[in-house]
Amino acid sequence: MNELHRKIRDEFLPVVTSPGQYIGGEFNQVRKDVSDDGVTVALGFPDTYAIGMSHLGLAILYTAVNQMEDVVAERVYCPWLDAGEVMRDKNITLFSWESRTPIREFDILGITLQHELAYTNVLYMLDLAGITFRADQRHEDEPLVIGGGPVADSCEPVADFFDLVVLGDGEDALPAVIEAYRVLKKNKATRREMLIQLARQFPFVYVPQFYQCDYNDDGTLAYFEPTIEGLSRCIQRAQVMDLDNATFPTAPLLANTESTHDRIAIEVMRGCPQRCAFCHAGHTRGKLRSRSINKIVELAWQSYLNTGHDTVSLLSLSTSDYPDLAELVKRLYHQFENCRVGISLPSLRVDKQLRDVPGQVSGTRREGLTLAVEAASGRMRRAIGKKVTDEDLIATMRTAYEAGWQKVKLYYMVGFPGETQEDIMGILHLTETISRLRREVASQPATVNAAVSWLVPKPHTPFGWIPQQSPDYFLEAKRELIHAKRQLKGVSINLKFHHTDGSMLEAVFARGDRRLSKVLETAYRMGAKFDSWHECFDFNRYMEAFKTNGIDPAFYASRQRGEQEILPWDHLDGGNKEHLYHRYMRIMKMLQE
Amino acid sequence: MKMKNTKQNNSTNAGMKLALWFSIQGDLRFLSHRDTMRLWQRVISRTRLPVKFSQGFNPHMKLSLPLPRSVGMAAQCELLLVDLETPIELDTLSQIVPPQLPDGMRYIQAASVPMKVSSLPQWARYHFILAESTPTEPIQQIIDAFHQSTTCPVQRSARGRHLERTLELKDHITHMTLQDNIIECQVNINTTATPRIDEILQKLTLTTPRPIAGVERVAVKYHKITLPG
């Protein structure tokens, strides 16, 4: 046992809260030894163990990389605040969950970028690992820090911290990069030589330090171009076309402690046919691909045998768009009939197909039905491309109540362009209607949880040009909804609201450029981390960091962009910019009519 | 899972109660009681044992760990009780359970016990393992002082309440010796109040500085359930 192992056992685990999350050794864990020429990869998740263990993407990459010969992937998560303090006090470096190897000793550290408020956690992990923050200042013996994940296509605020970023689907792309890395390592290529070679070899690899930009007097981008010959001006997205044959973890790790989604997760579809105007994922995941029913049932069954989970969750951006959802649910129901395994369908969109589903989904648990309505008024839903009618919604809910469902969760958004007072108050009216609807089949109204979030205009979407509404606008909407809800009698409605300051910061970093890396670093030095956790988030800290660096957050959050403006994500393959702008114009026209 | 045809001792047609002993060592000892329960639920599910479920809207497996274990405590012989729908061949458990256990957990043995058996523990024996280079003489003096004293009260205040109660360690600790850097301590358990290990260590001034490197539960005596052999 080396000194680090001893310190973790004697000085770390006995004093941190919920030590079970740091011990590793989970059932289905992979332990491998590699040769000197092999490649060691640490897959990092910039949030807690409980959230990271629920993340299907990381599980897929863990499986894909560990399937490679002479390559090992281990995991690392963000230690919670108390654990981070202990690590600093006791001089314990960030370690991998499997072998407790210092992260700094790995060849590659891969970090998934899930959302903008996790950016400071990237710095937190690098800091605890003793890895230099800025990629162009890293030493030869430090790991290659690779980024990827959902917001990699708008990663400019954190671009300086990554040696390279892989765009798009990772299960084939990351192993390909690792394989190329292995050859370069064997040939004793320098860090710079490796990065040049990888950027040239793969169209989906973005090496930020090989691109430079400058700014106009008004703060907008003047140009953005590669500094190395042979590099593309636009990075393409890697795509896995055949989901049936794509790598999938049928023996996923079983979390030692309770995780956010303690269940089997099967991705039934990738991409989204809806293209709702606000949705970043819908516009950036590429062509719609689905898994066959046979494959889904096979994967779910294998995963059940290897884990013993009691719920199968069907994941996709819009599960109700699965070509034959009713048949899939029926097949799964029959497969798991005597196993006390429930079927869970998150991300449901309300349409005619969905009407049949609630009655079929049953099992050990009939949890609440979750529906993404987004906008309460039909006018706004039509404008943003949300193909949901009130009739479909009412019919679906009636079916659900008849099938025994008692709870429903509805997602709404406030802050759309052209939004009226009527649109906002419609949230409460629609929620009330849905709650009272249950009285038609039962004695009590349904309990409805309405989660209201504030629109964050996202890059690569038709709303990429619009300003975000001000925090005051959101607070006023919140006040009015709460006030109106107090007048209601005889219904069970819970309104929940997102944090307005957090949404504003999201808007800043979602459409930010490289100048924001200084803000992130300053905010981190001032103590910012776990910013998506209410108990950790401190908006004033960020405001101070903006001020220190002479940056106005309103420039990023609440500024209307021009049609010809070079956007900080133009070089990262998303959608067709011209098409998106035309759609934006069409939406505005619809809302003005 | 092969079902047993003949009626077994202590089992009825309504099912069977399984008493399963296991050890938990290494870093796995840092799992909480709740996490250990969840771990066993998954293990039972993977083994496809015909476990009983509770009735109701949200059915759950009928299994229990009668004596919860503190986070960080290793254990040589923990008891898990599982209600089964139908009797099974006990011999098969040694084949099907061990492959489903994570590193640090070991299957020891299983037995069939009466469905309505009392699972109340009577006493538990612990080992407090001294940290390396801890001088044993002061520890021995602490133990001697404990034995010579007529009283050794521990004050316990319930979280969030002002009520305070006193536990008399002399009534609960029936045995305490030091041998080979290990303090062996036997604690009586009753349903009203039982001193916790941290209370015992604190009262005996064995917490600061930390002379105890680890705590292990080495044996538990239950009223009606005993480990065969």
mmCIF file of all heavy atoms in Angstrom, chain A residues 283-322:
data_model
loop_
_atom_site.group_PDB
_atom_site.id
_atom_site.type_symbol
_atom_site.label_atom_id
_atom_site.label_comp_id
_atom_site.label_asym_id
_atom_site.label_seq_id
_atom_site.Cartn_x
_atom_site.Cartn_y
_atom_site.Cartn_z
ATOM 1 N N HIS A 283 -31.251 20.654 -31.693
ATOM 2 C CA HIS A 283 -30.642 21.198 -32.908
ATOM 3 C C HIS A 283 -29.224 20.681 -33.157
ATOM 4 O O HIS A 283 -28.679 20.904 -34.225
ATOM 5 C CB HIS A 283 -30.604 22.727 -32.837
ATOM 6 C CG HIS A 283 -31.921 23.353 -33.156
ATOM 7 N ND1 HIS A 283 -32.888 23.587 -32.210
ATOM 8 C CD2 HIS A 283 -32.455 23.769 -34.338
ATOM 9 C CE1 HIS A 283 -33.946 24.137 -32.774
ATOM 10 N NE2 HIS A 283 -33.716 24.246 -34.062
ATOM 11 N N THR A 284 -28.627 20.064 -32.164
ATOM 12 C CA THR A 284 -27.203 19.742 -32.315
ATOM 13 C C THR A 284 -26.884 18.250 -32.318
ATOM 14 O O THR A 284 -25.735 17.891 -32.562
ATOM 15 C CB THR A 284 -26.386 20.394 -31.173
ATOM 16 O OG1 THR A 284 -26.944 19.970 -29.919
ATOM 17 C CG2 THR A 284 -26.453 21.904 -31.255
ATOM 18 N N ARG A 285 -27.834 17.395 -32.036
ATOM 19 C CA ARG A 285 -27.497 15.966 -31.949
ATOM 20 C C ARG A 285 -27.498 15.278 -33.301
ATOM 21 O O ARG A 285 -27.321 14.066 -33.385
ATOM 22 C CB ARG A 285 -28.458 15.240 -31.010
ATOM 23 C CG ARG A 285 -28.399 15.727 -29.595
ATOM 24 C CD ARG A 285 -27.075 15.375 -28.926
ATOM 25 N NE ARG A 285 -26.789 16.284 -27.828
ATOM 26 C CZ ARG A 285 -27.324 16.218 -26.633
ATOM 27 N NH1 ARG A 285 -28.178 15.274 -26.344
ATOM 28 N NH2 ARG A 285 -27.005 17.098 -25.711
ATOM 29 N N GLY A 286 -27.739 16.028 -34.343
ATOM 30 C CA GLY A 286 -27.631 15.437 -35.685
ATOM 31 C C GLY A 286 -28.854 14.638 -36.065
ATOM 32 O O GLY A 286 -29.927 14.753 -35.482
ATOM 33 N N LYS A 287 -28.629 13.790 -37.068
ATOM 34 C CA LYS A 287 -29.716 13.025 -37.666
ATOM 35 C C LYS A 287 -30.424 12.137 -36.617
ATOM 36 O O LYS A 287 -29.786 11.629 -35.706
ATOM 37 C CB LYS A 287 -29.080 12.131 -38.741
ATOM 38 C CG LYS A 287 -30.033 11.525 -39.707
ATOM 39 C CD LYS A 287 -29.246 10.889 -40.852
ATOM 40 C CE LYS A 287 -30.195 10.160 -41.772
ATOM 41 N NZ LYS A 287 -30.301 8.750 -41.511
ATOM 42 N N LEU A 288 -31.711 11.982 -36.816
ATOM 43 C CA LEU A 288 -32.477 11.141 -35.894
ATOM 44 C C LEU A 288 -32.142 9.662 -36.129
ATOM 45 O O LEU A 288 -32.223 9.169 -37.246
ATOM 46 C CB LEU A 288 -33.972 11.361 -36.123
ATOM 47 C CG LEU A 288 -34.895 10.627 -35.161
ATOM 48 C CD1 LEU A 288 -34.804 11.207 -33.767
ATOM 49 C CD2 LEU A 288 -36.336 10.690 -35.654
ATOM 50 N N ARG A 289 -31.727 8.991 -35.059
ATOM 51 C CA ARG A 289 -31.408 7.559 -35.142
ATOM 52 C C ARG A 289 -32.109 6.836 -34.004
ATOM 53 O O ARG A 289 -32.141 7.360 -32.892
ATOM 54 C CB ARG A 289 -29.889 7.339 -35.004
ATOM 55 C CG ARG A 289 -29.056 7.900 -36.130
ATOM 56 C CD ARG A 289 -27.766 8.496 -35.626
ATOM 57 N NE ARG A 289 -27.977 9.770 -34.971
ATOM 58 C CZ ARG A 289 -27.081 10.400 -34.250
ATOM 59 N NH1 ARG A 289 -25.900 9.861 -34.065
ATOM 60 N NH2 ARG A 289 -27.345 11.563 -33.676
ATOM 61 N N SER A 290 -32.663 5.683 -34.302
ATOM 62 C CA SER A 290 -33.331 4.965 -33.214
ATOM 63 C C SER A 290 -32.810 3.534 -33.118
ATOM 64 O O SER A 290 -32.307 2.978 -34.095
ATOM 65 C CB SER A 290 -34.843 4.975 -33.395
ATOM 66 O OG SER A 290 -35.168 4.473 -34.658
ATOM 67 N N ARG A 291 -32.931 2.978 -31.928
ATOM 68 C CA ARG A 291 -32.578 1.560 -31.722
ATOM 69 C C ARG A 291 -33.800 0.721 -32.037
ATOM 70 O O ARG A 291 -34.934 1.153 -31.800
ATOM 71 C CB ARG A 291 -32.188 1.313 -30.263
ATOM 72 C CG ARG A 291 -30.777 1.581 -29.938
ATOM 73 C CD ARG A 291 -30.291 0.855 -28.696
ATOM 74 N NE ARG A 291 -28.844 0.936 -28.687
ATOM 75 C CZ ARG A 291 -28.162 1.930 -28.117
ATOM 76 N NH1 ARG A 291 -28.783 2.890 -27.496
ATOM 77 N NH2 ARG A 291 -26.839 1.945 -28.168
ATOM 78 N N SER A 292 -33.555 -0.476 -32.510
ATOM 79 C CA SER A 292 -34.683 -1.360 -32.803
ATOM 80 C C SER A 292 -35.298 -1.855 -31.485
ATOM 81 O O SER A 292 -34.623 -1.902 -30.443
ATOM 82 C CB SER A 292 -34.218 -2.551 -33.636
ATOM 83 O OG SER A 292 -33.337 -3.344 -32.871
ATOM 84 N N ILE A 293 -36.550 -2.235 -31.566
ATOM 85 C CA ILE A 293 -37.238 -2.735 -30.368
ATOM 86 C C ILE A 293 -36.514 -3.965 -29.817
ATOM 87 O O ILE A 293 -36.267 -4.082 -28.613
ATOM 88 C CB ILE A 293 -38.710 -3.054 -30.692
ATOM 89 C CG1 ILE A 293 -39.459 -1.741 -30.965
ATOM 90 C CG2 ILE A 293 -39.375 -3.829 -29.558
ATOM 91 C CD1 ILE A 293 -40.933 -1.905 -31.300
ATOM 92 N N ASN A 294 -36.152 -4.875 -30.713
ATOM 93 C CA ASN A 294 -35.458 -6.095 -30.269
ATOM 94 C C ASN A 294 -34.190 -5.757 -29.508
ATOM 95 O O ASN A 294 -33.872 -6.359 -28.484
ATOM 96 C CB ASN A 294 -35.106 -6.979 -31.465
ATOM 97 C CG ASN A 294 -36.325 -7.708 -31.984
ATOM 98 O OD1 ASN A 294 -37.347 -7.794 -31.288
ATOM 99 N ND2 ASN A 294 -36.239 -8.223 -33.202
ATOM 100 N N LYS A 295 -33.449 -4.796 -30.044
ATOM 101 C CA LYS A 295 -32.176 -4.436 -29.416
ATOM 102 C C LYS A 295 -32.412 -3.801 -28.048
ATOM 103 O O LYS A 295 -31.706 -4.092 -27.078
ATOM 104 C CB LYS A 295 -31.413 -3.462 -30.330
ATOM 105 C CG LYS A 295 -29.970 -3.241 -29.911
ATOM 106 C CD LYS A 295 -29.140 -4.481 -30.161
ATOM 107 C CE LYS A 295 -27.725 -4.316 -29.661
ATOM 108 N NZ LYS A 295 -26.943 -5.540 -29.911
ATOM 109 N N ILE A 296 -33.411 -2.948 -27.980
ATOM 110 C CA ILE A 296 -33.702 -2.275 -26.702
ATOM 111 C C ILE A 296 -34.092 -3.302 -25.638
ATOM 112 O O ILE A 296 -33.591 -3.268 -24.505
ATOM 113 C CB ILE A 296 -34.831 -1.230 -26.886
ATOM 114 C CG1 ILE A 296 -34.329 -0.081 -27.767
ATOM 115 C CG2 ILE A 296 -35.298 -0.682 -25.542
ATOM 116 C CD1 ILE A 296 -35.423 0.838 -28.270
ATOM 117 N N VAL A 297 -34.949 -4.232 -26.023
ATOM 118 C CA VAL A 297 -35.384 -5.255 -25.063
ATOM 119 C C VAL A 297 -34.182 -6.109 -24.638
ATOM 120 O O VAL A 297 -34.006 -6.412 -23.449
ATOM 121 C CB VAL A 297 -36.508 -6.131 -25.674
ATOM 122 C CG1 VAL A 297 -36.871 -7.283 -24.745
ATOM 123 C CG2 VAL A 297 -37.744 -5.274 -25.970
ATOM 124 N N GLU A 298 -33.332 -6.443 -25.596
ATOM 125 C CA GLU A 298 -32.141 -7.259 -25.292
ATOM 126 C C GLU A 298 -31.205 -6.507 -24.339
ATOM 127 O O GLU A 298 -30.730 -7.069 -23.345
ATOM 128 C CB GLU A 298 -31.410 -7.576 -26.609
ATOM 129 C CG GLU A 298 -30.145 -8.385 -26.449
ATOM 130 C CD GLU A 298 -29.266 -8.310 -27.692
ATOM 131 O OE1 GLU A 298 -29.803 -8.232 -28.814
ATOM 132 O OE2 GLU A 298 -28.029 -8.284 -27.527
ATOM 133 N N LEU A 299 -30.953 -5.233 -24.634
ATOM 134 C CA LEU A 299 -30.055 -4.441 -23.781
ATOM 135 C C LEU A 299 -30.641 -4.281 -22.373
ATOM 136 O O LEU A 299 -29.925 -4.383 -21.374
ATOM 137 C CB LEU A 299 -29.819 -3.054 -24.390
ATOM 138 C CG LEU A 299 -29.041 -3.002 -25.708
ATOM 139 C CD1 LEU A 299 -28.987 -1.570 -26.238
ATOM 140 C CD2 LEU A 299 -27.630 -3.546 -25.539
ATOM 141 N N ALA A 300 -31.950 -4.045 -22.324
ATOM 142 C CA ALA A 300 -32.598 -3.862 -21.019
ATOM 143 C C ALA A 300 -32.514 -5.151 -20.200
ATOM 144 O O ALA A 300 -32.219 -5.127 -19.001
ATOM 145 C CB ALA A 300 -34.050 -3.441 -21.210
ATOM 146 N N TRP A 301 -32.732 -6.276 -20.863
ATOM 147 C CA TRP A 301 -32.715 -7.556 -20.153
ATOM 148 C C TRP A 301 -31.312 -7.880 -19.660
ATOM 149 O O TRP A 301 -31.108 -8.289 -18.511
ATOM 150 C CB TRP A 301 -33.262 -8.650 -21.068
ATOM 151 C CG TRP A 301 -33.362 -9.984 -20.383
ATOM 152 C CD1 TRP A 301 -32.641 -11.097 -20.657
ATOM 153 C CD2 TRP A 301 -34.230 -10.320 -19.287
ATOM 154 N NE1 TRP A 301 -32.993 -12.119 -19.805
ATOM 155 C CE2 TRP A 301 -33.969 -11.664 -18.952
ATOM 156 C CE3 TRP A 301 -35.183 -9.617 -18.568
ATOM 157 C CZ2 TRP A 301 -34.640 -12.325 -17.928
ATOM 158 C CZ3 TRP A 301 -35.856 -10.272 -17.539
ATOM 159 C CH2 TRP A 301 -35.581 -11.603 -17.226
ATOM 160 N N GLN A 302 -30.305 -7.706 -20.534
ATOM 161 C CA GLN A 302 -28.922 -7.955 -20.133
ATOM 162 C C GLN A 302 -28.536 -7.049 -18.967
ATOM 163 O O GLN A 302 -27.890 -7.486 -18.012
ATOM 164 C CB GLN A 302 -27.969 -7.698 -21.318
ATOM 165 C CG GLN A 302 -27.973 -8.780 -22.386
ATOM 166 C CD GLN A 302 -27.630 -10.143 -21.807
ATOM 167 O OE1 GLN A 302 -26.754 -10.264 -20.968
ATOM 168 N NE2 GLN A 302 -28.329 -11.168 -22.247
ATOM 169 N N SER A 303 -28.928 -5.800 -19.065
ATOM 170 C CA SER A 303 -28.585 -4.846 -17.990
ATOM 171 C C SER A 303 -29.249 -5.253 -16.688
ATOM 172 O O SER A 303 -28.653 -5.130 -15.607
ATOM 173 C CB SER A 303 -29.035 -3.430 -18.367
ATOM 174 O OG SER A 303 -28.438 -3.038 -19.566
ATOM 175 N N TYR A 304 -30.472 -5.747 -16.792
ATOM 176 C CA TYR A 304 -31.182 -6.183 -15.579
ATOM 177 C C TYR A 304 -30.457 -7.372 -14.941
ATOM 178 O O TYR A 304 -30.239 -7.415 -13.724
ATOM 179 C CB TYR A 304 -32.624 -6.546 -15.932
ATOM 180 C CG TYR A 304 -33.331 -7.319 -14.852
ATOM 181 C CD1 TYR A 304 -33.645 -6.715 -13.634
ATOM 182 C CD2 TYR A 304 -33.658 -8.663 -15.029
ATOM 183 C CE1 TYR A 304 -34.273 -7.433 -12.633
ATOM 184 C CE2 TYR A 304 -34.283 -9.380 -14.031
ATOM 185 C CZ TYR A 304 -34.585 -8.760 -12.831
ATOM 186 O OH TYR A 304 -35.190 -9.469 -11.836
ATOM 187 N N LEU A 305 -30.074 -8.333 -15.770
ATOM 188 C CA LEU A 305 -29.386 -9.515 -15.234
ATOM 189 C C LEU A 305 -28.069 -9.128 -14.568
ATOM 190 O O LEU A 305 -27.639 -9.749 -13.602
ATOM 191 C CB LEU A 305 -29.121 -10.531 -16.351
ATOM 192 C CG LEU A 305 -30.349 -11.183 -16.996
ATOM 193 C CD1 LEU A 305 -29.919 -12.148 -18.095
ATOM 194 C CD2 LEU A 305 -31.191 -11.916 -15.948
ATOM 195 N N ASN A 306 -27.421 -8.091 -15.101
ATOM 196 C CA ASN A 306 -26.109 -7.700 -14.576
ATOM 197 C C ASN A 306 -26.161 -6.685 -13.437
ATOM 198 O O ASN A 306 -25.135 -6.366 -12.847
ATOM 199 C CB ASN A 306 -25.249 -7.120 -15.705
ATOM 200 C CG ASN A 306 -24.810 -8.193 -16.681
ATOM 201 O OD1 ASN A 306 -24.564 -9.334 -16.288
ATOM 202 N ND2 ASN A 306 -24.745 -7.870 -17.958
ATOM 203 N N THR A 307 -27.342 -6.138 -13.197
ATOM 204 C CA THR A 307 -27.412 -5.126 -12.135
ATOM 205 C C THR A 307 -28.447 -5.454 -11.061
ATOM 206 O O THR A 307 -28.227 -5.162 -9.895
ATOM 207 C CB THR A 307 -27.789 -3.740 -12.707
ATOM 208 O OG1 THR A 307 -29.074 -3.827 -13.324
ATOM 209 C CG2 THR A 307 -26.759 -3.252 -13.706
ATOM 210 N N GLY A 308 -29.591 -5.968 -11.472
ATOM 211 C CA GLY A 308 -30.661 -6.194 -10.506
ATOM 212 C C GLY A 308 -31.493 -4.947 -10.251
ATOM 213 O O GLY A 308 -32.248 -4.891 -9.282
ATOM 214 N N HIS A 309 -31.368 -3.954 -11.090
ATOM 215 C CA HIS A 309 -32.177 -2.740 -10.919
ATOM 216 C C HIS A 309 -33.661 -3.067 -11.051
ATOM 217 O O HIS A 309 -34.046 -4.030 -11.703
ATOM 218 C CB HIS A 309 -31.811 -1.710 -11.999
ATOM 219 C CG HIS A 309 -30.611 -0.898 -11.649
ATOM 220 N ND1 HIS A 309 -30.523 -0.175 -10.487
ATOM 221 C CD2 HIS A 309 -29.449 -0.666 -12.307
ATOM 222 C CE1 HIS A 309 -29.364 0.444 -10.449
ATOM 223 N NE2 HIS A 309 -28.682 0.164 -11.530
ATOM 224 N N ASP A 310 -34.504 -2.188 -10.469
ATOM 225 C CA ASP A 310 -35.938 -2.458 -10.524
ATOM 226 C C ASP A 310 -36.696 -1.501 -11.455
ATOM 227 O O ASP A 310 -37.911 -1.490 -11.473
ATOM 228 C CB ASP A 310 -36.556 -2.443 -9.123
ATOM 229 C CG ASP A 310 -36.363 -1.114 -8.429
ATOM 230 O OD1 ASP A 310 -35.913 -0.162 -9.082
ATOM 231 O OD2 ASP A 310 -36.659 -1.021 -7.225
ATOM 232 N N THR A 311 -35.958 -0.681 -12.199
ATOM 233 C CA THR A 311 -36.615 0.224 -13.138
ATOM 234 C C THR A 311 -35.796 0.298 -14.434
ATOM 235 O O THR A 311 -34.568 0.354 -14.383
ATOM 236 C CB THR A 311 -36.720 1.651 -12.544
ATOM 237 O OG1 THR A 311 -37.326 1.578 -11.258
ATOM 238 C CG2 THR A 311 -37.559 2.561 -13.433
ATOM 239 N N VAL A 312 -36.517 0.286 -15.535
ATOM 240 C CA VAL A 312 -35.866 0.521 -16.836
ATOM 241 C C VAL A 312 -36.367 1.866 -17.340
ATOM 242 O O VAL A 312 -37.571 2.093 -17.440
ATOM 243 C CB VAL A 312 -36.224 -0.572 -17.862
ATOM 244 C CG1 VAL A 312 -35.635 -0.233 -19.234
ATOM 245 C CG2 VAL A 312 -35.719 -1.919 -17.400
ATOM 246 N N SER A 313 -35.429 2.737 -17.624
ATOM 247 C CA SER A 313 -35.789 4.072 -18.084
ATOM 248 C C SER A 313 -35.434 4.203 -19.561
ATOM 249 O O SER A 313 -34.323 3.872 -19.966
ATOM 250 C CB SER A 313 -35.000 5.083 -17.241
ATOM 251 O OG SER A 313 -35.373 6.373 -17.577
ATOM 252 N N LEU A 314 -36.391 4.646 -20.361
ATOM 253 C CA LEU A 314 -36.141 4.796 -21.804
ATOM 254 C C LEU A 314 -35.750 6.243 -22.083
ATOM 255 O O LEU A 314 -36.552 7.156 -21.916
ATOM 256 C CB LEU A 314 -37.397 4.430 -22.591
ATOM 257 C CG LEU A 314 -37.948 3.024 -22.326
ATOM 258 C CD1 LEU A 314 -39.164 2.764 -23.198
ATOM 259 C CD2 LEU A 314 -36.887 1.959 -22.567
ATOM 260 N N LEU A 315 -34.511 6.431 -22.496
ATOM 261 C CA LEU A 315 -33.999 7.786 -22.662
ATOM 262 C C LEU A 315 -33.947 8.211 -24.120
ATOM 263 O O LEU A 315 -33.631 7.424 -25.001
ATOM 264 C CB LEU A 315 -32.576 7.886 -22.095
ATOM 265 C CG LEU A 315 -32.364 7.646 -20.618
ATOM 266 C CD1 LEU A 315 -30.935 7.996 -20.254
ATOM 267 C CD2 LEU A 315 -33.320 8.464 -19.785
ATOM 268 N N SER A 316 -34.244 9.449 -24.323
ATOM 269 C CA SER A 316 -34.021 10.116 -25.608
ATOM 270 C C SER A 316 -34.472 11.548 -25.405
ATOM 271 O O SER A 316 -34.973 11.901 -24.336
ATOM 272 C CB SER A 316 -34.817 9.458 -26.728
ATOM 273 O OG SER A 316 -36.152 9.874 -26.666
ATOM 274 N N LEU A 317 -34.289 12.367 -26.403
ATOM 275 C CA LEU A 317 -34.729 13.753 -26.250
ATOM 276 C C LEU A 317 -36.246 13.840 -26.281
ATOM 277 O O LEU A 317 -36.832 14.764 -25.739
ATOM 278 C CB LEU A 317 -34.125 14.617 -27.360
ATOM 279 C CG LEU A 317 -32.613 14.822 -27.259
ATOM 280 C CD1 LEU A 317 -32.098 15.533 -28.494
ATOM 281 C CD2 LEU A 317 -32.262 15.611 -26.015
ATOM 282 N N SER A 318 -36.879 12.894 -26.942
ATOM 283 C CA SER A 318 -38.334 12.921 -27.027
ATOM 284 C C SER A 318 -38.827 11.491 -27.234
ATOM 285 O O SER A 318 -39.070 11.048 -28.357
ATOM 286 C CB SER A 318 -38.752 13.811 -28.205
ATOM 287 O OG SER A 318 -40.146 13.834 -28.315
ATOM 288 N N THR A 319 -38.947 10.777 -26.125
ATOM 289 C CA THR A 319 -39.237 9.342 -26.205
ATOM 290 C C THR A 319 -40.565 9.058 -26.901
ATOM 291 O O THR A 319 -40.720 8.037 -27.564
ATOM 292 C CB THR A 319 -39.216 8.730 -24.788
ATOM 293 O OG1 THR A 319 -37.952 9.037 -24.202
ATOM 294 C CG2 THR A 319 -39.383 7.228 -24.813
ATOM 295 N N SER A 320 -41.501 9.993 -26.793
ATOM 296 C CA SER A 320 -42.795 9.737 -27.446
ATOM 297 C C SER A 320 -42.689 9.785 -28.971
ATOM 298 O O SER A 320 -43.631 9.411 -29.664
ATOM 299 C CB SER A 320 -43.849 10.718 -26.946
ATOM 300 O OG SER A 320 -43.346 12.012 -26.970
ATOM 301 N N ASP A 321 -41.555 10.234 -29.495
ATOM 302 C CA ASP A 321 -41.350 10.206 -30.938
ATOM 303 C C ASP A 321 -40.749 8.888 -31.409
ATOM 304 O O ASP A 321 -40.479 8.721 -32.598
ATOM 305 C CB ASP A 321 -40.421 11.353 -31.368
ATOM 306 C CG ASP A 321 -41.170 12.657 -31.447
ATOM 307 O OD1 ASP A 321 -42.246 12.673 -32.063
ATOM 308 O OD2 ASP A 321 -40.702 13.655 -30.875
ATOM 309 N N TYR A 322 -40.508 7.988 -30.483
ATOM 310 C CA TYR A 322 -39.974 6.681 -30.891
ATOM 311 C C TYR A 322 -40.971 6.045 -31.865
ATOM 312 O O TYR A 322 -42.192 6.048 -31.606
ATOM 313 C CB TYR A 322 -39.751 5.784 -29.671
ATOM 314 C CG TYR A 322 -39.098 4.486 -30.042
ATOM 315 C CD1 TYR A 322 -37.729 4.429 -30.279
ATOM 316 C CD2 TYR A 322 -39.851 3.325 -30.210
ATOM 317 C CE1 TYR A 322 -37.128 3.246 -30.648
ATOM 318 C CE2 TYR A 322 -39.249 2.138 -30.588
ATOM 319 C CZ TYR A 322 -37.887 2.109 -30.803
ATOM 320 O OH TYR A 322 -37.289 0.937 -31.194
#
